[in-house]
């Protein structure tokens, strides 16, 4: 008789879907105290997961951290520009890098393919090679990238459903959670 093979389980840094949902809601809520709690949780995940941490989670956390710093009023304008600059440059580089093949393709074309506004690529270019852009432009870039990450990554992971009342913990649902968590790896959000 054939033995029924159990599906492979993926080990992830978060406890389960409830923790994942809570962190996503915390990051995007706009309340700096709740955002800081979510950032602390992401830091714990990163310490457990190391380089396997999904790039989208890492980018989201870095950008939210900038927004929290910005709202604190502790940094000067040029310090905030530099704070926003690093995660914005990293985001564009990481997103477009995944689309690069053996042939070098312009960043603007790659960004267009993944629905990143061209002006965000131009902002990345200014931050990397030109004079520093205005703080207002960095803030706007942060908001656009966070919205892109929410739509293209977080919402897809959650199946566009942040709150599920009365979730059953039966085997089928548990398996669905494992499969969803498996999709959260760094290659899943191209």
């Amino acid at each position: 008789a054939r033995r029924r093979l159990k599906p492979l389980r993926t080990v992830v840094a978060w406890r389960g879907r409830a923790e994942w949902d809570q962190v996503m809601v915390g990051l995007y809520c706009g309340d700096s105290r709740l955002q800081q709690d979510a950032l602390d949780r992401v830091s714990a995940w990163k310490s457990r997961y190391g380089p396997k941490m999904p790039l989208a989670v890492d980018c989201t956390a870095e950008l939210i951290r900038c927004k929290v710093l910005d709202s604190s009023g502790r940094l000067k304008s040029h310090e905030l520009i530099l704070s926003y600059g690093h995660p914005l440059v990293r985001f564009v580089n990481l997103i477009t890098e995944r689309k690069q093949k053996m042939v070098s393709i312009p960043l603007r074309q790659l960004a267009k393919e993944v629905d990143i506004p061209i002006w965000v690529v131009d902002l990345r270019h200014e931050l990397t090679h030109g004079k520093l852009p205005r703080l207002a432009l960095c803030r706007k870039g942060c908001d656009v990238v966070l919205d892109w990450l929410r739509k293209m990554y977080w919402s897809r992971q959650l199946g566009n459903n942040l709150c599920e009342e009365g979730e059953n913990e039966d085997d089928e649902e548990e398996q669905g959670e494992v499969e969803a968590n498996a999709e959260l790896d760094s290659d899943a959000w191209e």
Side-chain angles (χ1 to χ4, degrees):
R2 281 189 170 169
R3 277 196 284 173
R4 185 171 176 221
L5 294 177
K6 285 192 170 196
L8 292 176
R9 294 198 178 253
T10 302
V11 176
V12 293
W14 39 93
R15 285 187 217 144
R17 181 171 174 133
E19 183 181 54
W20 177 265
D21 292 354
Q22 183 180 22
V23 167
M24 187 273 188
V25 170
L27 289 171
Y28 281 94
C29 73
D31 177 327
S32 59
R33 186 182 57 77
L34 294 175
Q35 287 176 318
Q36 188 58 57
D37 290 345
L39 289 172
D40 292 344
R41 179 61 36 208
V42 170
S43 292
W45 292 353
K46 196 169 184 176
S47 70
R48 291 182 203 142
Y49 226 32
K52 291 183 177 183
M53 180 66 135
L55 299 173
V57 174
D58 209 19
C59 285
T60 304
E62 285 185 45
L63 290 165
I64 294 295
R65 193 169 280 111
C66 289
K67 289 181 73 78
V68 169
L69 269 172
D70 194 348
S71 69
S72 75
R74 291 184 296 197
L75 297 180
K76 295 179 177 155
S77 180
H78 70 281
E79 293 171 319
L80 285 170
I81 291 169
L82 294 173
S83 294
Y84 279 115
H86 177 260
L88 288 169
V89 168
R90 186 170 182 245
F91 168 80
V92 173
N93 288 348
L94 292 172
I95 296 300
T96 54
E97 177 183 287
R98 295 193 169 278
K99 299 291 280 181
Q100 286 284 11
K101 307 290 185 235
M102 297 301 270
V103 178
S104 182
I105 301 170
L107 282 180
R108 296 172 129 243
Q109 181 181 337
L110 292 171
K112 195 174 184 179
E113 287 178 21
V114 294
D115 293 325
I116 297 170
I118 298 301
W119 69 265
V120 172
V121 174
D122 294 340
L123 176 60
R124 173 232 170 251
H125 186 79
E126 278 184 53
L127 287 160
T128 307
H129 304 293
K131 68 177 194 170
L132 292 180
R134 295 181 338 268
L135 178 56
L137 190 59
C138 291
R139 286 175 174 149
K140 184 177 179 183
C142 179
D143 290 339
V144 167
V145 168
L146 283 170
D147 188 53
W148 187 93
L149 286 163
R150 184 184 50 77
K151 289 176 186 169
M152 301 303 286
Y153 180 74
W154 290 96
S155 292
R156 288 182 179 185
Q157 298 303 326
L158 298 174
N160 295 316
N161 186 7
L162 295 180
C163 298
E164 292 183 15
E165 294 288 318
E167 258 186 55
N168 294 331
E169 293 297 323
D170 63 336
D171 289 340
E172 274 185 32
E173 191 162 319
E174 222 174 274
Q175 179 57 33
E177 182 178 321
V178 170
E179 290 170 3
N181 286 339
E183 292 174 5
L184 299 174
D185 68 45
S186 59
D187 295 329
W189 63 294
E190 282 188 25

